[in-house]
Amino acid sequence: MSHLVSAAELSELITSGTPVRVLDVRWRLGGPDGYPDYLEGHVSGAVYVDLQTELSRHGRPDEGRHPLPDTATVQDAARRWGLNDGDRVVVYDDYGGLAAARAWWILRHGSIDVRVLDGGWPAWRASGAPVESGAVTAHPGSVTLTDITGDSLTIDEVAAYPASGVLLDVRAPERYRGETEPYDPVAGHIPGAINLPTKAHLAADGTALDGEAIRATLTASGVDEVTPVAAYCGSGITAAHTALMLAEAGVDAKIFHGSWSQWSNTTGRPVATGPQPG
């Protein structure tokens, strides 16, 4: 079963009257809030989701920049979005699927039937499907979420992970090597982690490569269908996209949601630099 839906498939669901809840999760790291863009135009019926306040929480520096919220907080937000038990949900963004993948991860672990719009907002616009402007206020839902923290690693668990599985650092190579660090206090990577930028799984138009191509990239990094695998990034957002791509290839992954922002802000954690795991 695919975790993605194409623009054509979503358009067909909407026009056929098939019940589907659409969530707009536009957000960019270091960029402006996505709400003004949402108001200007969005998929028909889409409700805006604020990644900063509804899919993450404010925490101490040693918890990372985007700690996972608790289940009750997300459940309250999901009811505002109009979600009910048994709903089919599609999420999208305009950032290569990174923000949408965070929503996918959380809702999936909350036992929601959720898909990501492949190619996001650019793919929807390119398809010529109808666009709606202004805010959509959903009728409050009554969804009940299960624990959203499943398959999330603690900092101690991720430190030990390379001894028994493959730990993927999905940031840009220069950040992995420690040549630059635009957001966190220390440059480098977690010792034992292998660099596999999540953009390696995307085509030039921002859509996902097919499962066979993703599996080939994973195999080159030592990942297969039986080896335990986990991912981290800068603050836990991009890692969710890698987990989504792995799921498309039939591989289940765990995520260290504190990611490098937590690791680099925690006293005493070792740091590796250079192109090798270290």
Side-chain angles (χ1 to χ4, degrees):
M1 179 185 70
S2 178
H3 298 270
L4 303 172
V5 60
S6 70
E9 290 169 333
L10 177 56
S11 181
E12 174 61 24
L13 287 174
I14 293 173
T15 57
S16 68
T18 303
V20 58
R21 302 287 184 177
V22 184
L23 304 178
D24 185 310
V25 201
R26 272 181 273 187
W27 169 88
R28 290 176 181 269
L29 180 62
D33 187 281
Y35 190 60
D37 289 336
Y38 162 80
L39 292 177
E40 186 175 327
H42 54 78
V43 174
S44 297
V47 174
Y48 182 72
V49 174
D50 189 324
L51 182 144
Q52 293 284 137
T53 62
E54 296 179 310
L55 299 178
S56 60
R57 61 178 173 83
H58 297 294
R60 305 185 311 271
D62 64 355
E63 293 181 293
R65 278 180 278 117
H66 293 105
L68 274 181
D70 58 37
T71 301
T73 297
V74 178
Q75 180 174 279
D76 287 345
R79 291 177 176 179
R80 180 189 73 78
W81 307 333
L83 302 193
N84 295 296
D85 292 329
D87 278 349
R88 180 185 304 187
V89 179
V90 174
V91 296
Y92 73 91
D93 61 33
D94 62 352
Y95 194 37
L98 303 187
R102 171 73 162 216
W104 167 83
W105 173 276
I106 288 176
L107 293 177
R108 179 192 185 203
H109 282 83
S111 300
I112 299 296
D113 178 7
V114 57
R115 305 285 187 276
V116 175
L117 176 59
D118 194 17
W121 179 242
W124 184 259
R125 292 301 305 272
S127 74
V131 171
E132 184 179 38
S133 61
V136 173
T137 301
H139 181 76
S142 59
V143 69
T144 299
L145 300 185
T146 57
D147 182 14
I148 66 169
T149 63
D151 291 334
S152 181
L153 299 177
T154 67
I155 192 170
D156 289 330
E157 289 171 336
V158 81
Y161 206 87
S164 58
V166 177
L167 179 61
L168 298 176
D169 182 317
V170 306
R171 298 173 299 162
E174 61 271 19
R175 291 184 70 189
Y176 172 84
R177 294 192 297 264
E179 297 167 2
T180 182
E181 180 46 63
Y183 305 108
D184 296 311
V186 180
H189 61 267
I190 296 174
I194 295 169
N195 188 216
L196 179 58
T198 199
K199 289 185 177 180
H201 310 304
L202 295 176
D205 63 358
T207 57
L209 299 177
D210 62 43
E212 183 176 349
I214 295 172
R215 281 190 291 274
T217 302
L218 295 175
T219 298
S221 297
V223 178
D224 55 40
E225 294 182 358
V226 297
T227 304
V229 59
Y232 77 91
C233 54
S235 65
I237 305 299
T238 308
H241 185 269
T242 290
L244 170 64
M245 295 295 97
L246 266 63
E248 280 297 290
V251 178
D252 288 328
K254 296 181 183 297
I255 293 179
F256 173 36
H257 281 97
S259 284
W260 186 248
S261 57
Q262 181 178 11
W263 188 274
S264 63
N265 277 288
T266 302
T267 303
R269 295 293 172 175
V271 173
T273 56
Q276 300 302 319

